[in-house]
């Protein structure tokens, strides 16, 4: 159930609505006025006309200030509340950290299902909407294996390869679907049941689009951009030369992500896109374990077994050391549970979201989070005991869920 909207969320929704999903206009207005709230303050509306905005945005602003426009916006808010389980804006600690480095990141995400899944390591699987039987099976098998290894499999809810990937990952309750419409719609409509299964099985549905947004052609490149940006790497399971999944691979290359391509028969038109990607430098894979090896990430429970608690104890004061040892003793009988049963406490979200899969020093984390050493080490210890953080070579990094 959606929590009451915060002032920032309402302001962000308002601006996003007024600029009709235009990233350039949204960030232009935010930069000019200093904050999103100031950008949608009625006393500043007169300045919009001086900022060379698109005429459609100015028309929407004019309508917004009428009684009819206000009622229309009120209906939109009600629609959001009806169809949305969570809303993530840039100021929130659980906004996906992997999106933050990009200047064209979505300023808001509307979601259903498990919001914390977005904080977990993801691998995208994309491909043709009309795959061969072989391609569909390969996508399913790769998703099944990778989700069993603890990764969330992210895709676009489309027909073909997307559907097969979601279905394979659903076997281990680890899949995320990014939509190119509002949450009040399902596209294609025949995937309504698949969508319900994803939500019911600890998965996540997200979109940057407001309710009543139709499945227009221009929305899907942005959908593909988010799929890639959320993920550590992108697997193209099967694609013809003109497949839309090659756009996702293009985004992945620009984002610096690893691109994996699964080869096929040299005379099959279904695989020509994958072969082209391999010629251009994509990593050829014929088994999902090769993807895991290339990403080289430790599993959550492996890192728990490897990690020596005394490494942290030796870095803190005697008083803190005693507290850590007591906390460790209390947790010694706790058995690892599947990720979908783990809840990341709200007070740890900022730290968890700041951690990456490479590692950061205590000093770096203190600067980035503006925390004192005592609070930071305590929070790191809590994350370690939850199996969500580990220390290697003096650096702290995330762990991912294992099977």
């Amino acid at each position: 159930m959606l929590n009451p909207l915060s002032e920032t969320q309402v302001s962000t929704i308002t601006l996003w609505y007024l600029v009709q999903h235009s990233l350039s206009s949204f960030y232009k207005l935010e930069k000019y006025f200093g904050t999103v709230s100031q950008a949608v303050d009625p006393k500043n509306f007169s300045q919009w006309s001086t900022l060379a905005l698109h005429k459609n945005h100015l028309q929407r602003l004019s309508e917004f200030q009428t009684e009819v426009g206000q009622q229309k916006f009120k209906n939109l808010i009600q629609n959001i509340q009806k169809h949305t389980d969570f809303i993530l804006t840039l100021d929130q600690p659980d906004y996906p950290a992997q999106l933050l480095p990009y200047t064209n990141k979505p300023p808001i995400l509307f979601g259903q299902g498990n919001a914390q899944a977005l904080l977990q390591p993801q691998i995208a699987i994309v491909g043709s909407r009309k795959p061969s039987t072989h391609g569909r099976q390969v996508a399913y098998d790769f998703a099944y294996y990778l989700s069993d290894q603890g990764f969330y499999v992210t895709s676009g809810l489309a027909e073909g390869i997307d559907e097969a990937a979601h279905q394979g990952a659903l076997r281990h309750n680890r899949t995320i679907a990014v939509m190119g419409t509002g949450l009040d719609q399902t596209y294609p409509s025949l995937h309504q049941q698949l969508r319900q299964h994803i939500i019911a099985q600890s998965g996540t549905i997200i979109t940057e689009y407001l309710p009543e947004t139709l499945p227009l052609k221009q929305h899907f490149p942005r959908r593909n951009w988010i799929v890639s940006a959320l993920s550590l790497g992108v697997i193209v399971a099967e694609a013809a030369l003109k497949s839309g999944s090659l756009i996702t691979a293009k985004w992945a290359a620009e984002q610096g992500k690893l691109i994996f391509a699964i080869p096929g028969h040299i005379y099959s038109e279904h695989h020509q896109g994958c072969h082209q990607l391999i010629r251009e430098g994509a990593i050829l894979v014929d088994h999902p374990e090769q993807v895991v090896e290339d990403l080289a990430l430790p599993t959550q429970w492996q890192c728990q077994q490897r990690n020596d608690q005394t490494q942290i104890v030796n870095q803190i004061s005697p008083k803190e050391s005693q507290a850590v040892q007591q906390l460790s003793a209390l947790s010694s009988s706790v058995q690892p549970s599947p990720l979908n049963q783990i809840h990341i406490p709200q007070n740890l979200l900022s730290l968890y979201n700041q951690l990456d899969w490479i590692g950061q020093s205590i000093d770096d984390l203190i600067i980035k989070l503006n925390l004192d050493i005592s609070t930071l080490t305590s929070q790191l210890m809590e994350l370690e005991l939850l199996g969500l953080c580990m220390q290697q070579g003096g650096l702290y990094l995330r762990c991912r869920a294992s099977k």
Side-chain angles (χ1 to χ4, degrees):
M1 183 177 179
L2 182 65
N3 293 325
L5 298 179
S6 68
E7 179 181 345
T8 300
Q9 288 175 333
V10 173
S11 296
T12 304
I13 291 169
T14 303
L15 186 56
W16 198 226
Y17 168 76
L18 291 174
V19 300
Q20 299 159 288
H21 304 120
S22 168
L23 288 166
S24 59
S25 294
F26 183 96
Y27 288 118
K28 181 178 185 178
L29 286 160
E30 181 188 37
K31 182 178 180 180
Y32 180 83
F33 289 106
T35 65
V36 173
S37 298
Q38 285 296 312
V40 296
D41 190 323
K43 71 175 184 291
N44 293 326
F45 283 162
S46 60
Q47 300 180 53
W48 279 43
S49 59
T50 67
L51 300 177
L53 299 171
H54 195 283
K55 65 178 182 180
N56 289 346
H57 304 340
L58 298 177
Q59 289 173 356
R60 177 72 68 91
L61 176 64
S62 179
E63 179 198 54
F64 180 74
Q65 297 176 80
T66 67
E67 185 176 343
V68 172
Q70 284 294 301
Q71 183 59 48
K72 186 175 179 180
F73 184 72
K74 181 180 179 181
N75 293 340
L76 174 70
I77 294 294
Q78 292 174 345
N79 207 349
I80 290 172
Q81 293 170 327
K82 178 181 178 181
H83 295 283
T84 308
D85 294 334
F86 61 88
I87 294 175
L88 303 177
T89 51
L90 294 171
D91 65 310
Q92 295 178 257
D94 44 356
Y95 182 93
Q98 56 269 46
L99 299 181
L100 292 175
Y102 304 109
T103 57
N104 58 338
K105 56 188 170 289
I108 190 167
L109 292 170
F110 304 94
Q112 293 177 334
N114 178 17
Q116 292 196 351
L118 297 171
L119 303 178
Q120 301 306 318
Q122 300 164 48
I123 297 176
I125 298 181
V126 300
S128 172
R129 284 187 170 87
K130 297 180 180 180
S132 65
T133 302
H134 168 77
R136 184 183 293 273
Q137 186 65 52
V138 165
Y140 181 96
D141 291 345
F142 267 63
Y144 180 94
Y145 182 94
L146 291 168
S147 60
D148 185 45
Q149 295 299 303
F151 293 97
Y152 270 77
V153 173
T154 302
S155 199
L157 203 69
E159 295 180 72
I161 295 298
D162 287 17
E163 177 192 6
H166 288 308
Q167 295 285 11
L170 272 175
R171 296 294 299 274
H172 299 107
N173 300 338
R174 292 190 178 103
T175 192
I176 295 168
V178 184
M179 295 173 53
T181 68
L183 288 178
D184 58 330
Q185 302 175 56
T186 300
Y187 181 81
S189 58
L190 59 86
H191 283 175
Q192 180 61 33
Q193 187 175 34
L194 171 60
R195 175 179 174 176
Q196 291 172 350
H197 286 166
I198 291 173
I199 296 170
Q201 293 176 230
S202 302
T204 312
I205 307 288
I206 61 166
T207 182
E208 66 178 338
Y209 293 110
L210 293 161
E212 302 179 17
T213 301
L214 299 175
L216 302 178
K217 184 177 181 180
Q218 63 265 30
H219 294 160
F220 293 99
R222 273 294 295 176
R223 188 267 319 262
N224 296 344
W225 185 93
I226 294 174
V227 167
S228 174
L230 284 170
S231 304
L232 294 164
V234 175
I235 300 170
V236 183
E238 184 177 273
L241 278 175
K242 294 185 179 180
S243 172
S245 57
L246 300 187
I247 298 176
T248 310
K250 173 179 175 290
W251 292 132
E254 292 180 358
Q255 294 162 355
K257 303 299 178 73
L258 290 179
I259 305 169
F260 304 93
I262 301 173
H265 197 292
I266 62 172
Y267 295 119
S268 169
E269 64 179 19
H270 293 287
H271 297 93
Q272 290 177 1
C274 291
H275 296 162
Q276 178 65 32
L277 288 174
I278 293 168
R279 287 195 296 274
E280 293 174 355
I283 302 170
L284 185 156
V285 289
D286 56 20
H287 191 283
E289 181 59 31
Q290 296 162 352
V291 177
V292 179
E293 291 172 357
D294 278 311
L295 292 173
L297 297 177
T299 63
Q300 183 186 94
W301 310 129
Q302 286 172 336
C303 80
Q304 275 191 308
Q305 294 168 2
R306 281 201 306 261
N307 187 46
D308 183 359
Q309 300 288 355
T310 59
Q311 290 180 328
I312 289 184
V313 172
N314 291 336
Q315 295 179 19
I316 57 181
S317 68
K319 182 177 180 181
E320 290 167 335
S321 174
Q322 183 180 5
V324 167
Q325 290 171 338
Q326 291 173 346
L327 186 56
S328 179
L330 287 172
S331 67
S332 61
S333 62
V334 177
Q335 297 298 316
S337 59
L339 176 64
N340 55 30
Q341 295 179 7
I342 293 176
H343 171 70
I344 303 174
Q346 189 68 30
N347 68 306
L348 301 179
L349 274 175
S350 292
L351 172 57
Y352 182 78
N353 216 357
Q354 186 62 56
L355 295 174
D356 54 32
W357 313 104
I358 300 172
Q360 299 175 68
S361 69
I362 282 273
D363 291 339
D364 288 339
L365 291 171
I366 288 174
I367 294 171
K368 291 176 180 178
L369 295 167
N370 194 27
L371 292 175
D372 60 80
I373 182 68
S374 176
T375 301
L376 179 59
T377 53
S378 175
Q379 291 186 2
L380 285 168
M381 190 68 227
E382 287 186 68
L383 285 177
E384 284 197 279
L385 295 175
L386 288 170
L388 298 173
C389 167
M390 68 173 291
Q391 184 189 177
Q392 278 189 336
L395 302 179
Y396 291 88
L397 60 154
R398 286 192 191 184
C399 299
R400 64 180 174 84
S402 182
K403 55 187 174 181

